[in-house]
């Protein structure tokens, strides 16, 4: 995977791969499964500013 972007309403995730493939993922209701799948493919850890800008808030936090 080369890029990841959230939709403005945070219900979809767009991923782009080095082979030119782009996919749209529905973030709800399987957000936990989607996050686990994405974390398994991440090449680096987001810094705190990136986490605030790009990730959904944790429920109950």
């Amino acid at each position: 995977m080369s890029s990841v972007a959230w939709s403005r309403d945070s219900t979809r995730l767009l991923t782009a791969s080095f082979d030119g493939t782009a996919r749209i993922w529905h973030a709800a209701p399987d957000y936990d499964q989607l996050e686990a799948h994405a974390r398994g493919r991440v090449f680096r850890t987001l810094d705190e500013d990136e986490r605030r800008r790009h990730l959904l808030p944790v429920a109950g936090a």
Side-chain angles (χ1 to χ4, degrees), residues 1-55:
M1 183 179 331
S2 63
S3 300
V4 177
W6 285 101
S7 64
R8 289 191 185 266
D9 64 1
S10 299
T11 62
R12 292 176 307 272
L13 184 68
L14 172 72
T15 60
S17 298
F18 291 110
D19 66 1
T21 302
R23 294 184 180 175
I24 297 175
W25 306 80
H26 292 281
D30 286 334
Y31 176 74
D32 292 334
Q33 181 181 0
L34 177 62
E35 181 182 23
H37 179 76
R39 285 183 186 275
R41 295 175 175 248
V42 171
F43 295 107
R44 67 177 179 83
T45 302
L46 299 177
D47 64 33
E48 285 303 313
D49 182 54
E50 291 170 319
R51 290 174 61 80
R52 282 190 295 274
R53 285 186 291 141
H54 301 296
L55 295 179

